Amino acid sequence: MTEHAPRSAIVIGAGHNGLACAAYLAKAGLSVTVLEASDRVGGAAVTREFTPGYRVSAGAHLLHALDEGVRRDLALERYGLRMAAEDLYTIALDPGGQWLSIADGALGGPGALDADRVSMAKHHRQMSRFARILDGIGDRRPPRLGTQNWRDLLALGRLGLDIRRLGTEDMREFLRIAGINIFDVLEERFESALLKAALAIDGTLGAMLGPRSNNSVFIALHRCNQGRDWALPSGGMGTVSVALDGAARAAGARIRTKTRVAAIRMDFDRACGVTLEDGETLDADVIVSNADPKTTFERLLGARHLEAGFANRIHHLRTRGCVAKLHLALDGPPRFTGLDADQRGQRLLIAPDPETVEHAFNHAKYGEHSERPVMEISVPSVFDDTLAPPGHHVLSANVQWAPYDLKGGWSEAAKQGFTERCLDSLEACAPGLREQVLANELLTPVDLENEFGMSGGHWHHVELALDSFFMLRPVPGAARYSTPVPGLYLCGAGSHPGGGVSGRPGRNAARAVLADRGRQ
Amino acid sequence: MRRHDAIVIGAGHNGIANAAFLAKAGLDVLLVEKNDYIGGAAVSRNLHGDWIYSNCSYVCSLLRPEIHRALDLAKYGLQVVPYGGSVTLAENGDYFGSYPDEDASRREIMRHSPRDADAAHRYERDIMRQCRFIRQFLLRTAPDPASFKPRDLLELLHIGRKLWDLGEDTIADTIRFYTMSIADWLDEYFESPLLKAAYAGSGIIGSALGVMSPGTAYVLLHHAMGDVDGTAGAWGFARGGMGAITAAMQRCFEAHGGKTLAGNGVARIEVRGGAVTGVTLENGDEHRAGIVVSNMTLPRTFLECMDPKDLRPEFLEKCRNFKIRGSSGKLNIALEGLPDFTALRGNQELMRADLHISDSIERLERAYDDWKDGTWSRDPYVDLLIPTLTDPTMAPPGKHFMSVFVQYVPPKVRGKDWTDADRDGFRDTVLDRIEAHAPGFKKMIAHVEVRTPRELEAEVGLTEGNIFQGELTMDQLLFNRPIPGYAQYRGPVKGLWMCGSSNHPGGGVMAAPGANAAREILMHLKKPNTVPEGWRDD
Amino acid sequence: MKTFDISSREHYRNKVFPSPFHAHQAALNENREWSRWYDYLSVPAYGCETLEYFAGRNTCGVFDLTPMVKHRIAGPDALPFLDRLVTRDVTKLAPGRVGYSAWCDDAGRVIDDGTIFHLREGEYRLCSQEHQIDWLSINARGFDVEISEVTHDIAALALQGPTSAAVLRRMGCSAVDALKPFGLAHMDFGGTELAISRTGYTGDLGYELWIDPDRAGTLWDRLFEAGELHGIRPMGSLALETLRIEAGFILAGRDFAPALQTVRQHNTRSPFELGLGWLVDFRKPLFNGRRALLEESRKGSRWALARLDIEDNKPAEHAYVYDTRQRKIGWVTSATWSPSAKKNVALATVRAPHGKPGEKMRVEIYYQRELAWHRKMAQAVVVEGPFWDPPRRRQTPPADF
């Protein structure tokens, strides 16, 4: 066991969290090496060409979560981070042109009902207040449960105080709805089916649950917490990673791409380094894994290097990804019924009513893909002309549900079938779109797993839910970024506070490594 | 018109228990009941020939033993007899049985999965940990987390300390237990699909959730936290049907000087000057009391039996948003003989047990999908018992009573009120389902009583037919039940109290809400407490 | 003959199954009393419990061990699998050797204790008090190992007592001479393999015999033929209980609550708290519970196991234990009058740091004389090691008597 403070660190995976973690560690004076399996940095925050001449953010496609602190601390603007568009708002599409827009709690568009305007403003205000509580704890290292340690008790006391500070009415409402489903809450508050559908999508996107499943309010809050504004980085999401990469290198971190880690090595009872695929071994005082917890513990470390109870918890992590990514190369702007040119570039949703969202989810429960998928669409080329040839466009859509474990597997035929379903939905809201498509690509969770290495192709690495949040994320015993294996830390989306291009797990993990100095 | 100390509305088990505890403390209590029989949803009804039906609730386990004893229900004629085990019938002709004998049960699980036979110990340990945790709070009033009163702060601290005492791993598991779906929870223990289906059923009974919905693990706990004679999780029959429980409570109430008026519902709870003054019955009779305790559901109490002017609009809004969707139906069947379940042929032991039909998590979940779409499940989950194999008092020798509880049944059919044709369609769905497992069963039927949410609401007063007087989800548990800020049995008007299952700790024939409300009322009146504390389990 | 069968759903008609030795046991079971041990019938006492006990200490007694839970663990990773599972170092367990160990959950609480038989390279048998297939399967993830419960596939007899070696010699088992304690030998038994281990639960010279259930009856016959002149006698579970307490051995479910079945976590125990600290090998980089046990070894345990020598002869079952200042510090978990040591002995669980050898305690005993109850605060002293530990237990080659 090393008694001294760690002097060197290896970060496995150059996803945005890995890069952020590396940058913070390097800034604190550690000798940091980032090892990335693929030939580019960024993990799922990446821009790539899916057909010649057309580039798109292959994983996350809208920036809404990037932590202000990370952005400032690492001076990401200095390393090239620019926004092609900011303050994007949401438009719920309607085949009949009766779309509605939601911007900061204000409803707009022909589909907006007057009855909903006041409720929406109130809902928005309340959800933003509630979200700030999650936002606050997203910055913190989760406490340990059941201890008498004053730090842990203080952390929980602070959470209690945050909730108290909402005031009696809002506190009661928070405690009432935080654990339930968005469908029931929306039924209480709104009239418009289209509006409810749009808000239901916010409660389900990226998660294996429907609007009627409890936890969907939590998902909505989690999205809201990260969402200040929706933004499009200039040059796609890859720009964020490039900036993080620049910041990390400037701080002194070495970043090696095309360097796949085969295993984490143990020296007696402590992680001491890694073995690369080509057999090369590297040593470090601390290993920080940006890989998902399943990959980290089961593949890189091996369950045999863990105590069985902990390994059992890892085994039972829910990692069934459920969102597919659809990319279209278009020979012109998509003509969404009723939208003008600027509106095309906003965050667009397709789902007519919350029941349709629920029905779309029903299929996923049984390993089927949705018959009528729901979508979150971005046409980044509206604001960013670096992504497609002049006059041409790229359309990027998150489509759900497309379960990782599709019955019969994601064969070419299955992918084609699902792509057709998606195009049907798009065509209904943008007549003639089919004719505009020059090329398409569908990334199923299986493809996401293969391309980005996350188990199950899950956005959040591990299902984001109340049973896997804060002190419980990914599992008790590894929720504080440190793990039962001395010297091994987690810094990916599987850790608190979860996925989204926020940089927070990476930053928090770096802080945990530094805070543990001398305590090992 | 006479003045009473207290009027209790609704002679269900919670109403009578509440009235009995108040009467025991020396109060002059009037119990009013709209039906011409008492018992609410814990009744034994003679609706056909010599058969007696437990036509709503049908088994007994949750009834708090502390209350059983404090009200001396044995002396007043209540006998609870345990029945053994359960069985889940599979579509392939096999079954999974659970026997009273521990080794036989273990071998039966081994037949489906040797590993699961052993995992069952771990599972039972963890469920029992949760039972022990929650039982401590059943006979206590939930704290108001938004209050600064010393009592609330102390109670909050008490809960926090009890949780903390569980230790790191069990605290984590407790949080997970309250927020997970029963399907995910079971995946952490078992591999046999049939076994998972058998255990999952308890996670959905009476609830508007599917086995894959987060929150159903708690519903399972709600069904496991009871006991019969200290055997945790065991279920029994009240000898003579569930009405025997309320009948015994009623005798206790009367022995302490309580008066009952049955046959007339409450038309209105009267309020004057911001305080309750009494009730007016449907026949126009008025009764005065400074304390009125409602055992009715929350919506029925405030939206149907009160003048909206007496309540704040925000409160009414919360009552309207109270989640009380019905999800269950019931068939009560008089049988000329004993049906022959193909899979069980000759297994008398399992015939006496609790029979379940639905053999996989997916089937259970699909049954829920139908409910979401506003229809009864085409392939429903059926919980079926033949009490007459254990209790000789409910039908003539050789004849049988079959209680069939069905999940899911919506409060409205595709948004419209139930029609008689719908009801018959539902009945046929269920009878066909049973017939498929017990050929010849239909020919034995002497009489069927069908109870959809429509009948449950009309006869028993259960709003939307919800058997728990309100759904058991996180927004309606503990200090959130029935609505935040009103979780201490005290209504929004002076002198008005609530004692039904809409209140903590919720539904089931537990009588805890009735007892807890009595304790609060007596404390408010500064009368000696007659309500027992929960027994401690070290 | 293998009698356990659950292939049919009709199994429920049998609450218990006859052991492969059942016919032989029934013929000798003068008391006609049976008890249940998991799936099988077991004999509490064939006749006089005392005579059966003395067979175990004076000649030899035979006890049917078939119902004991047995697992087969095999495959390339069998060794690393076991080494992570249990607290002691399994790499030191050579083929043909048997090792006693305990295993823990992550919190370092004892799940069970038992014996590991290294049958041959890459194949082990784990015998335990409780069923373990769930825990073993959880442990197997990440290892190339096959695990199965083989309780019903192996018939087993314990042959315990000073003349047991002589009986085996007479039966033609020459391996006995070289067989050291915790050794394992195989011999041909009419075409079947008979495994003989120098193990037991009596703390005396003794063996355990393992065979195909089809040959169980023959083994019993041959054993009793060979033992006729050596005082062989069937032995019931009551006699065995006295023998194991005298030997100072603990029993799951009696002296400690197995962690995987214990609802109240404070009622579980660590190996240190059960006097099994000698089985915990921190030189291994990893085993289940290592982190928690390391911390416990630093911070101190909360409980201790005490072997008590209690004055007088009143049986101390279920007694509370006090320190000399009358403070309640624990309770007795197993107790007996030791007919060999001529002492009133007990195993007790007491709050640490109590329980050190030589410490004096008081035991609150309630006992009955002709229906009348009496209470006695008896003096007791904590002793080290077994209450009965004859040299013949370790002597190799063992003498004939």
Side-chain angles (χ1 to χ4, degrees), chain A residues 422-447:
Chain A
C422 297
L423 289 174
D424 288 345
S425 292
L426 282 167
E427 178 78 22
C429 292
L433 183 113
R434 241 177 224 285
E435 301 302 312
Q436 296 177 287
V437 177
L438 300 171
N440 72 61
E441 177 188 51
L442 181 78
L443 297 176
T444 68
V446 173
D447 300 317

Side-chain angles (χ1 to χ4, degrees), chain A residues 451-495:
Chain A
E451 184 160 349
F452 303 122
M454 55 231 209
S455 295
H458 199 297
W459 280 14
H460 294 287
H461 288 191
V462 171
E463 185 74 21
L464 188 63
L466 286 172
D467 65 272
S468 179
F469 185 64
F470 206 33
M471 306 81 77
L472 308 178
R473 186 166 184 86
V475 294
R480 294 165 48 74
Y481 309 100
S482 47
T483 71
V485 180
L488 178 62
Y489 287 74
L490 296 177
C491 77
S495 291

Side-chain angles (χ1 to χ4, degrees), chain A residues 24-47:
Chain A
Y24 275 96
L25 290 176
K27 279 174 70 143
L30 269 69
S31 156
V32 182
T33 309
V34 183
L35 305 171
E36 167 59 40
S38 75
D39 56 0
R40 55 177 184 246
V41 299
V46 68
T47 310

Side-chain angles (χ1 to χ4, degrees), chain A residues 143-149 152-153 156 164 167-169 171-173 175-181 183-185 187-189 209 212-215 312-313 316-318 320 355 358-359 361-363 365-366 368 407 465-468 471-472 476-477 480, chain B residues 115 122 144-148 153 164-165 167-173 175-177 179-180 184 187-189 209 212-216 317-318 321-323 325 361-363 365-369 371-373 471 473-476 479-480 483-486:
Chain A
R144 270 187 74 180
L145 295 169
T147 70
Q148 302 301 325
N149 183 316
D152 296 329
L153 293 170
L156 285 171
R164 262 263 46 145
T168 301
E169 275 312 302
M171 170 187 183
R172 288 199 165 128
E173 190 65 358
L175 293 178
R176 184 177 79 94
I177 69 170
I180 63 167
N181 68 83
F183 184 95
D184 287 347
V185 173
E187 285 298 307
E188 288 175 10
R189 299 183 174 181
L209 48 70
R212 277 179 182 271
S213 307
N214 294 332
N215 271 333
N312 192 38
R313 286 196 189 269
H316 285 293
L317 284 176
R318 302 197 300 279
R320 281 172 74 200
E355 285 78 12
E358 184 70 25
H359 283 146
F361 168 62
N362 280 353
H363 293 286
K365 297 190 286 193
Y366 315 118
E368 304 153 10
K407 272 179 195 158
L466 286 172
D467 65 272
S468 179
M471 306 81 77
L472 308 178
R480 294 165 48 74
Chain B
R115 192 183 155 177
R122 190 163 52 92
D144 180 356
S147 146
F148 285 107
L153 294 174
W164 222 238
D165 283 350
E168 186 169 12
D169 268 3
T170 309
I171 300 172
D173 284 335
I175 301 172
R176 297 172 72 241
F177 189 81
T179 53
M180 278 173 77
D184 286 337
D187 273 343
E188 299 193 358
Y189 298 86
L209 296 169
M212 293 181 178
S213 309
T216 40
E317 181 64 25
K318 284 177 181 158
N321 287 337
F322 185 62
K323 288 175 190 64
R325 288 162 294 196
I361 291 291
E362 182 170 334
R363 284 184 99 96
E365 184 66 22
R366 286 190 189 274
Y368 172 58
D369 289 345
W371 180 89
K372 289 193 295 191
D373 290 341
E471 295 170 36
T473 42
M474 294 253 277
D475 53 334
Q476 297 185 161
F479 46 70
N480 283 334
I483 45 182
Y486 295 92

Side-chain angles (χ1 to χ4, degrees), chain B residues 20-21 24 64-74 76 139 252 256 515 530-533 535:
Chain B
F21 282 116
K24 262 187 95 172
R64 296 313 302 153
E66 297 93 338
I67 295 170
H68 197 147
R69 182 166 162 171
L71 294 181
D72 226 344
L73 299 183
Y76 295 111
L139 283 177
C252 172
H256 288 93
T530 53
V531 179
E533 274 188 37
W535 292 337

Side-chain angles (χ1 to χ4, degrees), chain B residues 333-337 339 431 435 438-447:
Chain B
I333 305 175
L335 293 170
E336 296 290 358
L431 293 181
E435 176 81 16
F441 152 77
K442 282 200 205 172
K443 290 203 198 77
M444 293 181 182
I445 298 175
H447 174 251

